[in-house]
Amino acid sequence: MAAKGSKRGPKAERGQKTADRGAGRRVSPLVGWTQGLIRFFLAAALAGGQLLGGRSPFGLAMVGASGADLEGFAALLGAVAGYLLSRGLEEGLRYAACSILIFSVAFAFYDLKLYQKRAFMPLVTGALCVVTGLVTLVDRTPDAAAALAAEAAAAGLAVYAFRAAFSLWNSGEEPKEPGARQKLGLIALGLCALISLARLKLLGLISVGRLCAAGLSLCAGWTAGPGAGAAVGLGAGLAMDLTSGWAGSYAVSYALAALAAGLLRAHRRGVGAAVFALVGSAAALRGWPLEGGMGPVYEVALAALLFLLLPRRLLDQAAVLFAPEPRPGRGQLLFQSASRRLRQTADALDQVFSALRAAFGDADNGEDPSVIYDRCANRVCARCSLRERCWQRDYQDTYDLLNAALGPMLERRQARAEDFPQRFRDKCCRFGAFLDAVNEELSAHLLRRRYQRQVSQSRRALAGQYGDMARLLQDTAAAMAAPVSVDEVRTRKLRQFLAGRELSCRGLVFADPRGRLQLQLDGWDAKSLADESGRRALGELLDLPLAPAVQGDNQVLFGQLEPLTALAGAAGRPRRGQSVSGDAFTWFKSQSGALFVLLCDGMGSGPQAREESELCVKLLEKFLLAGVSAQNALKTLDQALVLRGEETGGFSTVDLLELDLYTGRGALYKLGSAPSYLKQGGTVKCLSGHALPAGLSGPLPRRWEALEFQVGPGDCLVLVTDGVLDEDDRWLREALLAFDNGSPAALAEALMAHDDQDRDDKTALALRLGLRESGPAAQV
């Protein structure tokens, strides 16, 4: 590190480049020399560009934008060489001297904070341009002074634009994604390069700069739409007009031609190129003076031909550059505000949860069981003649004898005479009354302890609800704030498709947080594509299999179709003597492509058990469809049933299966439920858990257990309630092994027929995996 107050020379600057580049990563010497060569040739080329009146400010701007390190020195050498070769010795010396002064100022101020200001080098470049121009100015007329001021302003603005463009590579070898400022800088750099190339002609007729300007306008109109095409065409045309002196001719021609090509970009590329050539040629023949010849017509036609030869991938990358930077609308701002408020609310609830947990504690602080004897002594021994001997003189001996009986009577929940040592029974003259009092106080103590345990459990459940709510809000806020990854190529195809059908709705193809592609249409006419024919047309256009649409208010959302399919079947019987089963089940698929299967068995049988199990199924379904994770949904359900159980005393076993139909990864959550069985090939695996049923979580936090597995086409999974199984499950394994791509419903019915005693409610649910037909138009 340099000492305070010292200055770094060129060698130190090269060693500290990363401070200026802002990435903290060292650049290899090969990359540094390569970038130096690029700056050298770019500065030499820009030095040859001339505006009206023969002014050449862009070489100076290149030196001002390149800094004082190796790249800046290379730009200085290139600018000096370019000016001397293009302007001659007399005029070139003025620009060469100005370039040297600009580099000297950058070298002198490199270590100061002033140099880091965006306006510093643009102002220095413009000021030095004026100073050197005044020294060599021969014509002291107002027009000459105005031309010099315009040259200085152009040089300063060019420095600002070039530095914005070069900031894309300031982080090392990997360029950053261009923002609005960087895009404008790249466009300005390109226009200045076009001005420099305008003087270079092929066969003495076709200008290379104007050829590139016409092609750039056509690319912008085709990839980004008529508005962007007209804007780029206008800018490129004005740049060409500045070099030729024909006011507005090229600007009108390129803008009109790019606008026409952009309006037809829903058609084939050849149609847009042909229209661009026709409109541009017509404008050239009408607007250019006769001394221009046929060169402008040839340039427009040749640009259209070269456009047809460009690879499609290059056009897709150009679309990112020409597309306007999206600005957050009112809806997006409200969305961000809602996400921020959700996070703040989640933090507040989490603080409440922490405070309650600290206040309630994690353990039951019940009363000491020895208080039973204190209460009995107050009732029985208060008027005994031996009171002072037992409870004062022989206090320790009395408590030792009583404590010997404490363990057995607490375990039995009743005190008996033989629990007390014989010496105590002989010693106590009122032992019968004392034993009756102990049993009464023991019952009261057990009731108080049970009440305190319930209160403590309710308090922890209430505190847990705050924690669960905080986690749910945090997950929702994180999902709302997650960045959207837009598929630019498919989005451009979609927008061309919508423009071709003359639909006003807006389209977007993006990836959700799990990496699945989604297609969203917003607008009053979006529902015209929500039917089966629209789904097929969009799928073929984007080469993407799409699931059926989900419709909202002026919005249609298509999800990527999953490669795996799941066929499910279920069968059940109530307990003998009951009209309804206490079991409940359902299965459904989320928008993200996850399949959920729920199977719950309420406590007991009959309508009350059915009400308990259906409540669990409905609550879990609502949570999971809302995007809540499986663990958070189960925890919320468990705590809710704990609080509800204080009045009803109910609980329910739960099987929750979460299966990703994109990857085949699955997780099975079991809360007190019977084992499940997974068939893969010629083997059957038993999936069992050890957690308590929902609503019976103990005083300690529940440990969630997820049985994870991987499935593929042909695999089969069976979920059952405890009424289906007996002590030996070999019959179920054999039935599952014999099942070969048949009907899951038939397999479930076969499991019901194994035992016709129906001593308990029983339900079986079978799931068979398959492979979906390939192609974007595959049926669901």
Short mmCIF file of all heavy atoms in Angstrom, two decimals, residues 43 54 61 113 126 142 186 192 199 279 298 327 347 385 405 432 545 554 578 619 634 776:
data_model
loop_
_atom_site.label_atom_id
_atom_site.label_comp_id
_atom_site.label_asym_id
_atom_site.label_seq_id
_atom_site.Cartn_x
_atom_site.Cartn_y
_atom_site.Cartn_z
N ALA A 43 -8.49 4.63 -30.90
CA ALA A 43 -8.16 6.06 -30.85
C ALA A 43 -7.65 6.55 -32.20
O ALA A 43 -7.98 7.66 -32.64
CB ALA A 43 -7.12 6.31 -29.76
N GLY A 54 -14.56 20.27 -40.59
CA GLY A 54 -13.29 19.58 -40.46
C GLY A 54 -12.81 19.40 -39.04
O GLY A 54 -11.61 19.23 -38.81
N ALA A 61 -11.37 12.71 -27.15
CA ALA A 61 -12.29 12.10 -26.19
C ALA A 61 -11.83 10.70 -25.80
O ALA A 61 -11.97 10.27 -24.65
CB ALA A 61 -13.69 12.05 -26.79
N LYS A 113 -9.44 12.20 -5.35
CA LYS A 113 -10.87 11.90 -5.47
C LYS A 113 -11.52 12.71 -6.58
O LYS A 113 -12.53 12.28 -7.15
CB LYS A 113 -11.57 12.19 -4.14
CG LYS A 113 -11.19 11.25 -3.02
CD LYS A 113 -11.99 11.54 -1.77
CE LYS A 113 -11.63 10.56 -0.66
NZ LYS A 113 -12.43 10.83 0.58
N GLY A 126 -12.72 19.22 -22.66
CA GLY A 126 -13.31 20.35 -23.35
C GLY A 126 -12.51 21.63 -23.16
O GLY A 126 -12.30 22.40 -24.10
N PRO A 142 -16.78 35.24 -35.16
CA PRO A 142 -17.72 34.54 -34.26
C PRO A 142 -18.05 33.13 -34.72
O PRO A 142 -18.26 32.22 -33.89
CB PRO A 142 -18.96 35.44 -34.29
CG PRO A 142 -18.42 36.79 -34.62
CD PRO A 142 -17.28 36.56 -35.57
N LEU A 186 -22.41 2.85 -25.44
CA LEU A 186 -22.04 1.99 -26.56
C LEU A 186 -22.58 2.54 -27.88
O LEU A 186 -21.90 2.50 -28.91
CB LEU A 186 -22.58 0.58 -26.32
CG LEU A 186 -21.86 -0.26 -25.25
CD1 LEU A 186 -22.61 -1.55 -25.01
CD2 LEU A 186 -20.43 -0.55 -25.68
N CYS A 192 -19.73 7.42 -33.24
CA CYS A 192 -18.46 8.11 -33.51
C CYS A 192 -17.57 7.27 -34.41
O CYS A 192 -16.86 7.80 -35.30
CB CYS A 192 -17.74 8.40 -32.19
SG CYS A 192 -18.60 9.61 -31.15
N ARG A 199 -15.49 8.23 -44.15
CA ARG A 199 -14.56 8.70 -45.18
C ARG A 199 -13.92 7.54 -45.94
O ARG A 199 -13.31 7.75 -46.99
CB ARG A 199 -13.47 9.55 -44.53
CG ARG A 199 -14.01 10.76 -43.79
CD ARG A 199 -12.90 11.51 -43.09
NE ARG A 199 -11.91 12.00 -44.04
CZ ARG A 199 -10.73 12.51 -43.69
NH1 ARG A 199 -10.41 12.58 -42.40
NH2 ARG A 199 -9.87 12.94 -44.59
N VAL A 279 -37.74 1.24 -49.06
CA VAL A 279 -38.01 2.55 -48.46
C VAL A 279 -36.75 3.40 -48.43
O VAL A 279 -36.77 4.60 -48.74
CB VAL A 279 -38.61 2.37 -47.06
CG1 VAL A 279 -38.78 3.72 -46.36
CG2 VAL A 279 -39.95 1.65 -47.13
N TYR A 298 -26.97 2.04 -53.31
CA TYR A 298 -26.22 0.79 -53.18
C TYR A 298 -25.94 0.46 -51.71
O TYR A 298 -25.95 -0.71 -51.31
CB TYR A 298 -24.89 0.91 -53.94
CG TYR A 298 -25.05 1.09 -55.43
CD1 TYR A 298 -24.10 1.79 -56.17
CD2 TYR A 298 -26.17 0.57 -56.10
CE1 TYR A 298 -24.24 1.96 -57.54
CE2 TYR A 298 -26.32 0.75 -57.46
CZ TYR A 298 -25.36 1.44 -58.18
OH TYR A 298 -25.51 1.60 -59.52
N ARG A 327 -38.72 0.25 -17.08
CA ARG A 327 -38.89 1.11 -15.93
C ARG A 327 -39.99 0.57 -15.04
O ARG A 327 -41.01 0.10 -15.54
CB ARG A 327 -39.25 2.54 -16.38
CG ARG A 327 -38.17 3.22 -17.20
CD ARG A 327 -38.59 4.63 -17.57
NE ARG A 327 -37.55 5.31 -18.32
CZ ARG A 327 -37.67 6.55 -18.77
NH1 ARG A 327 -38.78 7.24 -18.55
NH2 ARG A 327 -36.68 7.10 -19.45
N ASP A 347 -40.40 -9.30 10.74
CA ASP A 347 -39.41 -9.01 11.77
C ASP A 347 -40.07 -8.69 13.11
O ASP A 347 -39.60 -9.12 14.17
CB ASP A 347 -38.53 -7.83 11.33
CG ASP A 347 -37.64 -8.19 10.14
OD1 ASP A 347 -37.45 -9.39 9.90
OD2 ASP A 347 -37.19 -7.26 9.44
N SER A 385 -49.93 -34.44 69.19
CA SER A 385 -49.04 -34.21 70.33
C SER A 385 -47.57 -34.46 69.99
O SER A 385 -46.68 -33.97 70.70
CB SER A 385 -49.46 -35.11 71.51
OG SER A 385 -49.39 -36.48 71.12
N ALA A 405 -41.03 -42.85 50.20
CA ALA A 405 -42.33 -43.26 49.65
C ALA A 405 -42.76 -42.41 48.47
O ALA A 405 -43.73 -42.74 47.77
CB ALA A 405 -43.39 -43.18 50.75
N GLY A 432 -53.35 -43.48 59.57
CA GLY A 432 -54.49 -43.67 58.68
C GLY A 432 -54.99 -42.36 58.12
O GLY A 432 -55.24 -42.21 56.90
N PRO A 545 -43.12 -27.23 -24.29
CA PRO A 545 -44.40 -27.84 -23.90
C PRO A 545 -45.06 -27.05 -22.78
O PRO A 545 -44.44 -26.76 -21.76
CB PRO A 545 -44.00 -29.25 -23.44
CG PRO A 545 -42.56 -29.13 -23.07
CD PRO A 545 -41.96 -28.08 -23.95
N ASN A 554 -57.62 -10.16 -16.80
CA ASN A 554 -56.80 -9.67 -17.91
C ASN A 554 -55.39 -10.25 -17.88
O ASN A 554 -54.42 -9.59 -18.27
CB ASN A 554 -56.72 -8.13 -17.88
CG ASN A 554 -58.06 -7.48 -18.13
OD1 ASN A 554 -58.91 -8.03 -18.84
ND2 ASN A 554 -58.27 -6.31 -17.55
N GLN A 578 -70.04 -48.30 11.06
CA GLN A 578 -70.02 -46.86 10.82
C GLN A 578 -70.44 -46.57 9.37
O GLN A 578 -70.17 -47.35 8.46
CB GLN A 578 -68.61 -46.28 11.06
CG GLN A 578 -68.15 -46.38 12.50
CD GLN A 578 -68.89 -45.42 13.42
OE1 GLN A 578 -69.55 -44.47 12.96
NE2 GLN A 578 -68.80 -45.67 14.72
N LEU A 619 -56.83 -27.63 5.40
CA LEU A 619 -55.86 -26.63 5.81
C LEU A 619 -54.54 -26.81 5.07
O LEU A 619 -53.95 -25.84 4.57
CB LEU A 619 -55.63 -26.71 7.33
CG LEU A 619 -56.77 -26.21 8.21
CD1 LEU A 619 -56.43 -26.41 9.68
CD2 LEU A 619 -57.06 -24.74 7.95
N LEU A 634 -47.00 -27.97 7.78
CA LEU A 634 -47.21 -28.98 8.82
C LEU A 634 -47.05 -28.40 10.21
O LEU A 634 -47.80 -28.75 11.13
CB LEU A 634 -46.23 -30.13 8.61
CG LEU A 634 -46.50 -31.04 7.40
CD1 LEU A 634 -45.36 -32.02 7.22
CD2 LEU A 634 -47.82 -31.78 7.56
N PRO A 776 -44.02 -30.07 -28.00
CA PRO A 776 -44.68 -28.93 -27.37
C PRO A 776 -46.18 -29.07 -27.31
O PRO A 776 -46.84 -28.41 -26.54
CB PRO A 776 -44.26 -27.74 -28.25
CG PRO A 776 -43.93 -28.35 -29.56
CD PRO A 776 -43.37 -29.70 -29.28
#
